[in-house]
Amino acid sequence: MDQDQAPMQIAPFPPSRGPRPANMAGSAAFMLAGAFAATVMPVLGVALMGYGARGMYEAGGTKGFALAALVGAAAVAGMVAFEPLLATGTLSGVLAALGAVWCMRHRAATTLSVSLVIAACAGVGLGVDAFLLMQAGASSVGAEYTALIMETARATLGQGIEADMVLRQAEPVFQAIWPVLYVVSATMNVLSAAIGSHLMAARAYGDPRMPSIARYDAPMWAVGVLAISVAGLGVSFSPVPYAEVLRTVCATALLSVRMIFTLQGFGVVLYRLNARRAGCFFRVILLTLLIQLEATLFVVSVVGLIDVWANFRKLSRSGSHARAQQ
């Protein structure tokens, strides 16, 4: 299939009702509703916050975005007064919504900008939890999360000598990768907020088209991060100062950047499915198997890494070639 040819639509877009201008007050209400809904249903709540924040930006431009930030700050303050333990999730959701809207405001979010938003959200969540745990007298966030992961793994594996042996062998891995939990949580928040932002943009501009994952192209800097992470992991097993910290940072960066290559791998898969005009049933079965099985998911990420050089989809590339249109 020619790369300039539009991909086959599994379900045709409905007729557009034309642009519908965003309303400042209504968008602010959506953002407040999302902030409180996020305490019960995080994905839906953050999507509503993204929808509302994007509406406020479309209604008032930069001033509208500043007002959205004030509304988000008020929601966090209200949550602190109402239930402080839930304020961290609300804060992360507000930051994800604001970051996603800011990246997508010109209908073109780059991999770098989205990655920086995810890193910022993960860092804020980690910092807040570290402060709260220190106030409670805990030793460290890493120790608490490692213990939590170990308890979850023990509940899954059960009791017995074999289970104890597996857990002892896996504990160093858990100690190195625990910050990935924050990265995954931040990624889900930003993705949810991006969906909400896109829905509001589709309403405001009358254009319901979704971004095409089949044309996603990862940036070269991701390869550099991958190489540095692998090298750092190797160094962390030698007698160097702060080896455990280095191992944790490199393992987190490695697993985080893997998400980029996994997305690129799915782009290759979807491109081939579009080229062969595969049906809905086969697409659902194949994508479900690829997502559910860790072995196939690893293969998809390797395909994405190879595609950076092989360019299986024959995409036209220039510079960082890593702009994902929303």
Side-chain angles (χ1 to χ4, degrees), residues 14-232:
S16 175
R17 290 189 288 178
R20 288 175 290 168
N23 177 272
M24 183 69 75
S27 298
F30 269 111
M31 192 168 182
L32 284 174
F36 289 96
T39 61
V40 181
M41 295 177 290
V43 173
L44 176 61
V46 177
L48 287 175
M49 282 192 280
Y51 186 85
R54 181 61 180 265
M56 296 181 73
Y57 174 80
E58 295 297 337
T62 305
K63 292 182 179 179
F65 182 82
L67 288 175
L70 290 177
V71 171
V76 173
M79 191 57 64
V80 170
F82 175 71
E83 182 55 68
L85 294 178
L86 300 177
T88 302
T90 303
L91 175 61
S92 299
V94 169
L95 291 177
L98 294 174
V101 169
W102 187 255
C103 291
M104 299 172 70
R105 68 192 187 281
H106 296 310
R107 300 182 65 83
T110 64
T111 303
L112 178 60
S113 64
V114 174
S115 298
L116 290 176
V117 171
I118 292 173
C121 292
V124 169
L126 175 58
V128 172
D129 282 353
F131 174 77
L132 294 177
L133 287 172
M134 288 178 61
Q135 294 293 102
S139 57
S140 67
V141 183
E144 293 295 324
Y145 265 98
T146 301
L148 177 61
I149 296 173
M150 290 290 290
E151 290 179 6
T152 304
R154 183 173 294 279
T156 303
L157 296 175
Q159 303 294 329
I161 298 178
E162 294 183 357
D164 290 339
M165 293 179 59
V166 171
L167 288 174
R168 280 198 296 269
Q169 293 175 351
E171 186 173 7
V173 178
F174 296 152
Q175 291 174 343
I177 67 172
W178 64 266
V180 176
L181 296 175
Y182 287 94
V183 177
V184 172
S185 177
T187 301
M188 292 301 298
N189 281 342
V190 172
L191 177 60
S192 301
I195 292 173
S197 176
H198 172 77
L199 291 176
M200 173 53 75
R203 179 183 187 274
Y205 296 110
D207 183 5
R209 289 178 298 175
M210 290 288 290
S212 175
I213 298 178
R215 296 189 61 80
Y216 174 76
D217 209 8
M220 288 300 296
W221 62 259
V223 180
V225 173
L226 178 68
I228 293 173
S229 301
V230 173

Side-chain angles (χ1 to χ4, degrees), residues 160-306:
I161 298 178
E162 294 183 357
D164 290 339
M165 293 179 59
V166 171
L167 288 174
R168 280 198 296 269
Q169 293 175 351
E171 186 173 7
V173 178
F174 296 152
Q175 291 174 343
I177 67 172
W178 64 266
V180 176
L181 296 175
Y182 287 94
V183 177
V184 172
S185 177
T187 301
M188 292 301 298
N189 281 342
V190 172
L191 177 60
S192 301
I195 292 173
S197 176
H198 172 77
L199 291 176
M200 173 53 75
R203 179 183 187 274
Y205 296 110
D207 183 5
R209 289 178 298 175
M210 290 288 290
S212 175
I213 298 178
R215 296 189 61 80
Y216 174 76
D217 209 8
M220 288 300 296
W221 62 259
V223 180
V225 173
L226 178 68
I228 293 173
S229 301
V230 173
L233 276 176
V235 173
S236 69
F237 288 99
S238 60
V240 296
Y242 303 104
E244 292 185 1
V245 175
L246 177 62
R247 188 177 307 127
T248 299
V249 171
C250 291
T252 303
L254 177 63
L255 293 178
S256 300
V257 79
R258 178 194 165 185
M259 298 180 190
I260 296 177
F261 297 116
T262 301
L263 183 59
Q264 173 123 344
F266 276 111
V268 175
V269 172
L270 291 174
Y271 178 85
R272 294 300 181 188
L273 291 175
N274 290 337
R276 296 178 179 276
R277 304 186 68 83
C280 297
F281 179 78
F282 180 74
R283 288 171 183 258
V284 170
I285 295 299
L286 178 61
L287 294 177
T288 300
L289 290 175
L290 293 178
I291 293 172
Q292 291 293 326
L293 302 177
E294 173 60 28
T296 56
L297 200 59
F298 175 76
V299 172
V300 170
S301 63
V302 172
V303 170
L305 176 61
I306 296 174

